[in-house]
Amino acid sequence: MKGPFLKELPGKLDDMKPLKALSYTSPLEGLAEKFHMSADLLKALNPDKAFDKVGATIVVANVPARRELPNIARLDVDKRNGTLKAFDQGATLIAFYPASIGSPDRPTPSGTLKVTSTHENPVYHYNPDYKFRSVKSKQPFDVQPGPNNPVGAYWIGLSAQGYGIHGTAEPDRVSKSASHGCVRLTNWDVRALGEHVKRGTPVVFLDAPTDSSSEQRRKSGGRRASN
Protein backbone atom coordinates (compact mmCIF):
# COMPACT_ATOMS: atom_id res chain seq x y z
CA MET A 1 0.00 0.00 0.00
CA LYS A 2 2.96 2.34 0.50
CA GLY A 3 3.98 2.21 -3.15
CA PRO A 4 5.64 4.22 -4.50
CA PHE A 5 3.01 4.72 -7.19
CA LEU A 6 3.01 6.88 -10.30
CA LYS A 7 0.40 9.62 -10.39
CA GLU A 8 0.04 8.91 -14.10
CA LEU A 9 1.82 6.67 -16.58
CA PRO A 10 3.22 8.80 -19.42
CA GLY A 11 2.05 7.79 -22.86
CA LYS A 12 5.35 8.60 -24.60
CA LEU A 13 8.88 7.27 -24.09
CA ASP A 14 10.34 10.80 -24.00
CA ASP A 15 8.25 11.59 -20.93
CA MET A 16 9.39 8.42 -19.14
CA LYS A 17 13.09 9.40 -19.17
CA PRO A 18 13.10 11.50 -15.96
CA LEU A 19 11.16 8.99 -13.85
CA LYS A 20 13.07 7.06 -11.18
CA ALA A 21 10.91 3.95 -11.62
CA LEU A 22 8.02 2.83 -13.84
CA SER A 23 5.87 1.70 -10.92
CA TYR A 24 2.20 0.80 -10.76
CA THR A 25 -0.20 3.73 -10.77
CA SER A 26 -2.26 2.36 -7.85
CA PRO A 27 -2.70 -0.65 -5.52
CA LEU A 28 -5.63 -1.65 -7.75
CA GLU A 29 -3.37 -1.96 -10.79
CA GLY A 30 -0.83 -4.02 -8.84
CA LEU A 31 -3.49 -6.35 -7.43
CA ALA A 32 -5.10 -6.84 -10.84
CA GLU A 33 -1.79 -7.91 -12.39
CA LYS A 34 -0.86 -10.07 -9.39
CA PHE A 35 -4.01 -12.13 -9.96
CA HIS A 36 -3.97 -11.96 -13.79
CA MET A 37 -7.15 -9.91 -14.01
CA SER A 38 -8.33 -6.61 -15.46
CA ALA A 39 -8.91 -3.82 -12.98
CA ASP A 40 -12.54 -3.63 -14.19
CA LEU A 41 -13.17 -7.30 -13.36
CA LEU A 42 -11.52 -6.92 -9.95
CA LYS A 43 -13.79 -3.98 -9.17
CA ALA A 44 -16.86 -5.83 -10.45
CA LEU A 45 -16.12 -8.77 -8.15
CA ASN A 46 -15.62 -6.45 -5.19
CA PRO A 47 -18.28 -3.74 -5.24
CA ASP A 48 -17.89 -1.12 -2.52
CA LYS A 49 -14.49 -2.56 -1.52
CA ALA A 50 -11.41 -0.43 -0.93
CA PHE A 51 -8.21 -1.56 -2.65
CA ASP A 52 -5.90 0.75 -0.73
CA LYS A 53 -6.51 -0.36 2.85
CA VAL A 54 -4.41 -2.95 4.67
CA GLY A 55 -6.56 -5.77 6.00
CA ALA A 56 -9.35 -5.47 3.41
CA THR A 57 -10.62 -8.84 2.11
CA ILE A 58 -11.23 -9.12 -1.63
CA VAL A 59 -12.27 -11.82 -4.13
CA VAL A 60 -9.70 -12.63 -6.83
CA ALA A 61 -9.02 -15.21 -9.53
CA ASN A 62 -7.43 -18.38 -8.14
CA VAL A 63 -4.16 -18.34 -10.06
CA PRO A 64 -1.02 -20.26 -9.08
CA ALA A 65 1.66 -18.25 -7.31
CA ARG A 66 4.31 -19.80 -9.54
CA ARG A 67 4.02 -21.95 -12.63
CA GLU A 68 6.46 -24.85 -12.89
CA LEU A 69 7.37 -25.96 -16.41
CA PRO A 70 9.54 -28.83 -17.66
CA ASN A 71 12.82 -27.89 -19.33
CA ILE A 72 12.10 -25.96 -22.52
CA ALA A 73 13.87 -27.23 -25.64
CA ARG A 74 12.36 -24.94 -28.29
CA LEU A 75 10.10 -21.91 -28.67
CA ASP A 76 7.91 -21.35 -31.73
CA VAL A 77 6.64 -17.84 -32.45
CA ASP A 78 3.67 -17.88 -34.83
CA LYS A 79 3.74 -14.42 -36.39
CA ARG A 80 0.47 -14.80 -38.27
CA ASN A 81 -1.64 -16.07 -35.38
CA GLY A 82 0.06 -14.08 -32.61
CA THR A 83 1.06 -16.96 -30.34
CA LEU A 84 4.14 -18.40 -28.65
CA LYS A 85 4.50 -22.14 -27.99
CA ALA A 86 7.06 -23.90 -25.80
CA PHE A 87 8.13 -27.52 -26.43
CA ASP A 88 10.13 -30.02 -24.40
CA GLN A 89 12.86 -32.36 -25.67
CA GLY A 90 10.25 -34.79 -26.99
CA ALA A 91 8.55 -32.03 -29.04
CA THR A 92 5.56 -32.10 -26.67
CA LEU A 93 3.73 -28.79 -26.29
CA ILE A 94 4.15 -27.68 -22.66
CA ALA A 95 3.05 -24.02 -22.76
CA PHE A 96 0.98 -21.77 -25.02
CA TYR A 97 0.77 -17.99 -24.76
CA PRO A 98 -1.00 -15.22 -26.69
CA ALA A 99 1.53 -12.66 -27.95
CA SER A 100 1.88 -9.32 -29.71
CA ILE A 101 4.38 -9.73 -32.52
CA GLY A 102 6.00 -7.04 -34.69
CA SER A 103 4.74 -3.93 -36.44
CA PRO A 104 5.03 -2.39 -39.92
CA ASP A 105 7.78 0.05 -38.88
CA ARG A 106 9.81 -2.63 -37.07
CA PRO A 107 8.82 -6.17 -38.11
CA THR A 108 9.71 -9.26 -36.12
CA PRO A 109 12.67 -11.28 -37.50
CA SER A 110 12.24 -14.43 -39.55
CA GLY A 111 14.11 -17.70 -39.24
CA THR A 112 15.64 -19.07 -36.05
CA LEU A 113 17.26 -17.08 -33.24
CA LYS A 114 18.57 -18.21 -29.84
CA VAL A 115 17.98 -17.11 -26.28
CA THR A 116 21.02 -15.16 -25.06
CA SER A 117 19.94 -13.80 -21.65
CA THR A 118 17.15 -13.30 -19.13
CA HIS A 119 16.61 -10.22 -16.95
CA GLU A 120 14.06 -9.46 -14.26
CA ASN A 121 13.12 -5.76 -13.92
CA PRO A 122 15.05 -4.69 -17.02
CA VAL A 123 16.11 -1.17 -17.93
CA TYR A 124 14.76 -0.16 -21.34
CA HIS A 125 17.45 1.25 -23.64
CA TYR A 126 16.12 3.43 -26.45
CA ASN A 127 18.29 3.57 -29.57
CA PRO A 128 17.57 6.48 -31.96
CA ASP A 129 18.29 4.08 -34.83
CA TYR A 130 14.88 2.56 -34.04
CA LYS A 131 13.32 5.79 -35.37
CA PHE A 132 10.02 5.27 -33.57
CA ARG A 133 7.51 7.79 -34.88
CA SER A 134 6.33 8.71 -31.38
CA VAL A 135 9.83 9.51 -30.03
CA LYS A 136 11.30 12.99 -30.56
CA SER A 137 14.71 12.42 -28.95
CA LYS A 138 17.64 12.01 -31.33
CA GLN A 139 19.87 10.73 -28.52
CA PRO A 140 19.86 7.33 -26.79
CA PHE A 141 18.29 7.20 -23.35
CA ASP A 142 17.22 4.76 -20.64
CA VAL A 143 13.85 4.16 -19.02
CA GLN A 144 14.11 2.80 -15.48
CA PRO A 145 12.70 -0.60 -14.36
CA GLY A 146 9.19 -1.33 -13.14
CA PRO A 147 6.07 -3.21 -14.20
CA ASN A 148 5.06 -0.27 -16.41
CA ASN A 149 8.42 -0.15 -18.17
CA PRO A 150 8.07 -0.31 -22.00
CA VAL A 151 9.37 -3.90 -21.88
CA GLY A 152 7.49 -4.78 -18.71
CA ALA A 153 8.94 -6.60 -15.72
CA TYR A 154 10.94 -9.30 -17.54
CA TRP A 155 13.17 -9.53 -20.64
CA ILE A 156 14.40 -12.58 -22.56
CA GLY A 157 17.18 -11.46 -24.90
CA LEU A 158 17.53 -12.99 -28.37
CA SER A 159 20.49 -13.34 -30.72
CA ALA A 160 19.41 -10.44 -32.97
CA GLN A 161 20.47 -7.10 -31.49
CA GLY A 162 17.59 -5.18 -29.90
CA TYR A 163 15.12 -8.06 -30.12
CA GLY A 164 13.65 -10.06 -27.27
CA ILE A 165 10.61 -11.58 -25.61
CA HIS A 166 9.30 -9.26 -22.91
CA GLY A 167 6.44 -8.13 -20.71
CA THR A 168 4.13 -5.17 -21.08
CA ALA A 169 2.45 -2.37 -19.17
CA GLU A 170 -0.82 -3.18 -20.98
CA PRO A 171 -1.62 -6.90 -20.51
CA ASP A 172 -5.15 -6.40 -21.88
CA ARG A 173 -3.69 -5.51 -25.29
CA VAL A 174 -1.52 -8.61 -25.73
CA SER A 175 -2.36 -10.28 -29.07
CA LYS A 176 -4.63 -7.32 -29.91
CA SER A 177 -1.96 -4.80 -30.92
CA ALA A 178 1.44 -4.76 -32.62
CA SER A 179 4.84 -4.45 -30.92
CA HIS A 180 8.03 -2.67 -31.96
CA GLY A 181 9.48 -5.85 -33.46
CA CYS A 182 9.79 -7.86 -30.27
CA VAL A 183 7.53 -10.59 -28.88
CA ARG A 184 5.33 -9.13 -26.15
CA LEU A 185 3.65 -11.29 -23.47
CA THR A 186 1.99 -10.45 -20.17
CA ASN A 187 4.43 -9.84 -17.32
CA TRP A 188 3.37 -13.07 -15.61
CA ASP A 189 3.66 -15.22 -18.76
CA VAL A 190 7.11 -13.98 -19.76
CA ARG A 191 8.37 -14.47 -16.20
CA ALA A 192 7.13 -18.08 -16.16
CA LEU A 193 8.82 -18.61 -19.52
CA GLY A 194 12.07 -16.89 -18.56
CA GLU A 195 12.46 -18.91 -15.37
CA HIS A 196 12.47 -22.16 -17.39
CA VAL A 197 14.37 -21.25 -20.54
CA LYS A 198 18.16 -21.50 -20.93
CA ARG A 199 20.75 -19.70 -23.02
CA GLY A 200 21.02 -21.26 -26.46
CA THR A 201 17.38 -22.36 -26.64
CA PRO A 202 16.23 -21.97 -30.28
CA VAL A 203 13.38 -19.56 -31.01
CA VAL A 204 11.74 -20.34 -34.35
CA PHE A 205 9.75 -17.57 -36.06
CA LEU A 206 6.99 -19.02 -38.23
CA ASP A 207 5.67 -16.77 -40.99
CA ALA A 208 2.74 -19.01 -41.95
CA PRO A 209 -0.13 -20.24 -39.74
CA THR A 210 0.37 -23.77 -38.43
CA ASP A 211 -1.88 -26.28 -36.74
CA SER A 212 1.12 -27.74 -34.94
CA SER A 213 4.89 -27.56 -35.03
CA SER A 214 5.09 -31.14 -36.33
CA GLU A 215 2.77 -30.28 -39.22
CA GLN A 216 5.01 -27.35 -40.14
CA ARG A 217 8.08 -29.58 -40.15
CA ARG A 218 6.27 -32.18 -42.27
CA LYS A 219 5.40 -29.58 -44.91
CA SER A 220 8.98 -28.32 -44.98
CA GLY A 221 10.47 -31.76 -45.42
CA GLY A 222 11.24 -32.39 -41.74
CA ARG A 223 13.07 -29.09 -41.24
CA ARG A 224 11.98 -26.27 -38.99
CA ALA A 225 10.33 -23.44 -40.84
CA SER A 226 12.46 -20.40 -41.54
CA ASN A 227 12.49 -17.67 -44.16
Side-chain angles (χ1 to χ4, degrees), residues 68-162:
E68 294 295 340
L69 294 174
N71 290 332
I72 296 172
R74 189 183 83 251
L75 300 176
D76 281 4
V77 178
D78 189 329
K79 296 163 68 173
R80 181 75 62 86
N81 291 322
T83 64
L84 184 150
K85 300 176 183 178
F87 298 87
D88 66 12
Q89 291 288 352
T92 298
L93 179 66
I94 56 175
F96 178 95
Y97 305 109
S100 292
I101 303 170
S103 62
D105 59 335
R106 195 161 188 253
T108 301
S110 294
T112 300
L113 302 178
K114 292 184 178 181
V115 172
T116 58
S117 63
T118 59
H119 302 279
E120 188 164 12
N121 294 320
V123 173
Y124 176 77
H125 306 285
Y126 178 73
N127 185 335
D129 292 341
Y130 297 161
K131 298 180 179 179
F132 292 164
R133 297 175 184 176
S134 60
V135 179
K136 295 181 180 180
S137 177
K138 303 299 182 183
Q139 301 296 323
F141 61 83
D142 290 343
V143 176
Q144 297 306 307
N148 279 320
N149 183 282
V151 292
Y154 206 98
W155 169 270
I156 300 173
L158 301 179
S159 53
Q161 185 174 4

